Structures are given as C-alpha cells and as structure tokens.
Amino acid sequence: MLALVMSHFLISSFSQSQKYDAFFMDAICQHEQGNNDAAFDLLRHCVEIDSTRSEAYFYLSRYYNYLKQKDLALEYSKRAVALEPENSTYLETLADAYISQRDYKEAAHTLERLYDMNRDRDDLLSVLMQLYEQLEDYENAIRTLNRLETLNGKSERISFAKSGIYTRKGDKQAAIAEMKQLANQYPNDMNYRCLYANTLYMNGQQKKALAIYDEILKQEPDNRSVLMAMLSHYNEQKDTANASRMLERALMNKNATTDDRVALFRQVIGESERSGGDSTRVLQLFRQVLALPQQDAEMALFCATYMNLKKMPEDSIRRVLEQALTIAPDNAAARLQLVSYAWKAEDRDRVIALCRDARQYNPDEMAFYYYQGIAYYQKDQLDDALNAFQNGIGVISQQSDPVIVSDFYAVMGDILHQKGLAREAFAAYDSCLQWKDDNIGCLNNYAYYLSEMGEQLDKAEQMSYRTIKAEPKNATYLDTYAWILFMQKRYSEAKIYIDQTLQYDADTSAVLLEHAGDIYFLVGEKEQALSYWQQALERSSQLSEVKDERRQVLIRKIKLKKYLKQ
C-alpha cells in the first residue's frame, strides 16, 4: 500500500496514459523484487486508470490463478485477449485457463486461433489432439493428426493414433487402411506388419491377422511382438496347450525385455493361484529364464519375492538372491535380505562380509553399517564395531530413519562405556535421545551408568522411571530404578522395586542379587541381606560374570556382615 501512495504522489500531474505506464512499470518492479502484495495493488489501480490496456489484465489473471481464484483468472485472461487478440502469450494463457476449468471446447477453439498464428508449433497440435479426444470429436482429432503428419511426416505414433480413433469412431476399414499404408511404406520392418495384423485382429479380421503373424514368424522366429500377440490369441481362444507352448517361447525369446517377462510371469502366477497355487510349473519357468543371460537383476528378485510368498526354504531363496547380486552387486534390497538370513542363522561372519561389500556399492545405506557394527559388537570386536558405527553416522541426513540413527548412537554409547570412555559414551547417549527421546534401552543404560558414577542422580532417576513405565515387568529396568533410588538414599522405595525385580527375573544375576543384599541391609533386614550376598557370590562363582575385585568385595561383606561402598 505504501508503494501505491508514493506512486500517487509522484505522478499526480501525469496524463492518463503516462499514469498508467508509471503505475504498470512500478508494479512490474515490485513483482520482480518479490513484493507481490504491492504489485497486485498497483496492477488493480492500473485497470482503474485505463480499462482499455491489456497488460495489467494479463498480469492480474496470473495473480488470481496463483490465489486459486480460477473464475477471476479466466475473466481477466479473456479481457486481455479481447483487447489484444493477436497476442500469442495471452491466447496460450487463456487456453490454459479454460483447460483448468475443464472447458475443453473453448480451450480447443482458443488453441485453434493460436495455431493459425503459429503454424510451426506441433506442440499445440498435440494438445489439440488430446482435447478433441476428451470431447470425442473424432473428425477434428483426425484433422489434427493429419496436420501433424503434414508437419512432421508419417510416423508409427501418428498412424497408430489415427487408426485407434477410426476404431473408436466405428470406421473399421479406415482403421485398417491406415495401418496397412504404414506397413506398406516400410515393407521390410516386420514390427509395422505386426501392427497392421493387430489392427486387423481388433477389427474382426482374425483369420487374415493370424496368416500375417505366421508369415512374420517364418522370417523372424523371435519377433517379440508377434509372439505376445499369438499368446494373447491362444489365451482368448482358451487353447491351453498352444498358450502354454507360446508362453514358454515368449519367455525364452532372446528379444524379450524384462518388462515382457515380468508381465508374463504375473499372468502365469495369477493362473497358478486361481487353480490351486501349485508352484511347480512357475518355479520351473523361473529356473529356465534365470539360466538365460540376464539384462538386470529384476527377474531374480521377482523370483525371490515369489519364493518368499510360497514360503520356500531360505537356502533356495538365498541362491536366487546371490544370483541377483552377481548380476547387480549394488542391489541393496537383495543384499539386505541376505543379511537378514545370515542374521537369523547367527552367522555373524557372513553378516560382516555382506555389509563390507555393501559399503563399497551402497555407501549411503545406513542399514549395512548398523548390521556390521552389531555383528562386530556381538563378536566382542569393539574397535571394529565402533568404526562401523562411526562411519555409518557419517551418512546421516534429515531423511534418515530416526529409529536407526538413535540405535546407532545407543550402541556406540555402550561400546564407548565398555572401553572406559564414559564422557564420550554419555555424549553418544545424548545424541541418541535427540533422535528418539523414548529409546528405552538407551535410557536404561544411560541412567545406570550415571548412577554407577554417582552423578546426575535426579536425571538418572527420571530416565529410569520412563523405562519402568514403558515396561513395568522388565527386571533389568526395575533393577536399574531400584539401584538409583538406593543411590539417592531412598532405601524403602528401593526395596519395593528390588522385590519386583526378583519377582520378574527368571534367572537372577549375581549383580542383581548383590543389589538386593545392599538394599535389604540398609533397610535393616540384615539376615536377608546376607542371604542375597551369599547367593550373589555363588552365582558369580558359577558363571564368572563378576570381576575378581567385585567378588572380593562380596566376600568381605559376608565376612564382616556389613554393607561396603564400592
């Protein structure tokens, strides 16, 4: 609005035409600077000054279109064209406005006017063709295709489109004649002969079409178009034997594309499922096709998907997936499935090898770093595990899965803590919780390690409380919470939770039993505390799960019948 006021002040002494020009130029400048509100106000003032000038109407139509006010956009576009009927830009914008309003008849009329002024624009004819098809105006559609043909020469696309329109129009002879003319123009191209035969078949002259198919196959036994057409014919006739023979011929055809084969297999699988779901023939066909040279890994992956659907043994699926990787070693989907099979088999070395290769071919796929890191971690190769996770973090982006990123940092924190790097571990846990603040495993470990160090116990208690709210029967989480309460000297509350821990823990650990003894001692139940310490000592001796120095502490507690700080 300020721009409008200033313009009024500066040009109050101008003539009407000069005022219009000044306001319009100011509007364009505001538009170029991104000040669209000011530009819009200035343009509306332009049409108030002079309603016989077209430019402001044109720009306003664009603004109204942007504001989703399509009726006003159309109205202003019509005014611009009425004032300047020979302006190609205005006419094209008006045609677009009609199309957006689904007024295809007026859109076609406008584009015809535009084409009369621009006879070399075949793009206008293409749009006109679509509009006439929408309107089912077959005469004008044919006329438009004839103009395209005059402009660009005869082509398969145009002839096929004309033939299709003749067919929809009900003029079978014209449809056939159009494709025959194309075939005669290129007598050595069997694909055009096949298109001609297809048109005959669709228009009721099946016998003549079949004769042409036979003729083509004598010259080109691997003509994929004819093989597909013949298969369609046998299926239509319910000639099962010939359809089966032609299906195998089409599948094994050296000229068949992957898309051809996928489409054929979908047909075979559909028929198989409708007749009982016997996979024998389908798998036999897959084996035959996969024995051929492969253009890509799609057929192997399709086969693996089908085998998964039919619950085939994983060993057989794995072989197909390995073939897919041989063809396309960068196929992440196949490799991830192989990783999952190796993981279920607890073959950590295989997981590591698959992920190592994947990092060469799919360096941005986080899942491979994750599985490799976990496999190393489970093999107690902490440095290798940490390296895998740190490299994986390097490919994090805003599009990364927060769950996976959170787990990355959580496991990194566990590894760093085991390596004695507590501060670095806590930083990793903080990063984990930034990505997923309810990562329960991280919350538990973070809280427990803080309590071990006697640091930030309030923060530790809050984190631990969230874990037992999420999983109130998880003995590990209950033990952590009980121990933090103990560290806060809230002994009576700690006893409540350590009792729940013992209730839900099916295989009580030495650490948990020692915690129970410590808590019971400080609530005054010394005999029960001694019992728990004794059980902890026995369990640690059996499983070797407690370090020697901690075992010595247990022995001293029992001997002195006294709680000792560690």
Side-chain angles (χ1 to χ4, degrees), residues 4 47 75 112 134 139 162 176 284 359 455 467 496:
L4 183 60
V47 298
E75 180 60 33
E112 288 285 5
Q134 285 284 341
E139 293 297 335
K162 285 169 70 176
I176 292 168
Q284 179 187 5
R359 287 172 58 177
E455 293 186 4
T467 70
I496 293 170

Side-chain angles (χ1 to χ4, degrees), residues 154-168:
K154 199 167 189 64
S155 70
E156 174 187 343
R157 181 177 68 85
I158 295 174
S159 294
F160 196 71
K162 285 169 70 176
S163 180
I165 291 171
Y166 280 129
T167 298
R168 290 196 292 279

Side-chain angles (χ1 to χ4, degrees), residues 106-209:
E106 286 300 327
H109 174 70
T110 304
L111 286 176
E112 288 285 5
R113 288 172 59 187
L114 182 57
Y115 180 70
D116 284 341
M117 297 159 49
N118 301 270
R119 293 283 182 158
D120 59 340
R121 287 190 59 181
D122 59 356
D123 61 313
L124 297 177
L125 294 175
S126 296
V127 178
L128 275 166
M129 170 64 192
Q130 294 174 47
L131 291 172
Y132 287 133
E133 282 196 288
Q134 285 284 341
L135 293 165
E136 297 184 0
D137 185 347
Y138 298 132
E139 293 297 335
N140 273 318
I142 293 292
R143 182 173 66 88
T144 302
L145 286 169
N146 285 334
R147 286 185 288 180
L148 265 172
E149 203 167 59
T150 301
L151 199 61
N152 297 328
K154 199 167 189 64
S155 70
E156 174 187 343
R157 181 177 68 85
I158 295 174
S159 294
F160 196 71
K162 285 169 70 176
S163 180
I165 291 171
Y166 280 129
T167 298
R168 290 196 292 279
K169 187 183 174 187
D171 191 344
K172 296 182 178 182
Q173 292 305 314
I176 292 168
E178 185 64 38
M179 297 311 294
K180 183 178 182 180
Q181 185 181 358
L182 180 67
N184 289 341
Q185 187 174 341
Y186 303 98
N188 296 321
D189 191 324
M190 294 299 104
N191 287 322
Y192 289 139
R193 293 285 293 163
C194 182
L195 287 172
Y196 170 46
N198 291 345
T199 307
L200 287 166
Y201 194 98
M202 285 188 298
N203 285 280
Q205 298 190 32
Q206 293 184 0
K207 188 174 181 180
K208 192 171 181 180

Side-chain angles (χ1 to χ4, degrees), residues 20 30 38 46 159 261 310 317 414 463 477 531:
Y20 177 95
Q30 295 294 335
C46 284
S159 294
R261 288 176 173 147
K310 303 305 287 185
I317 302 174
D414 295 344
M463 290 193 294
Y477 300 164
S531 173

Side-chain angles (χ1 to χ4, degrees), residues 398-427:
Q398 292 299 317
Q399 288 70 46
S400 298
D401 184 341
V403 175
I404 295 178
V405 178
S406 177
D407 282 346
F408 261 71
Y409 282 112
V411 181
M412 274 184 63
D414 295 344
I415 294 169
L416 289 163
H417 190 270
Q418 287 185 45
K419 290 171 67 66
L421 303 169
R423 298 303 167 197
E424 291 85 345
F426 295 159

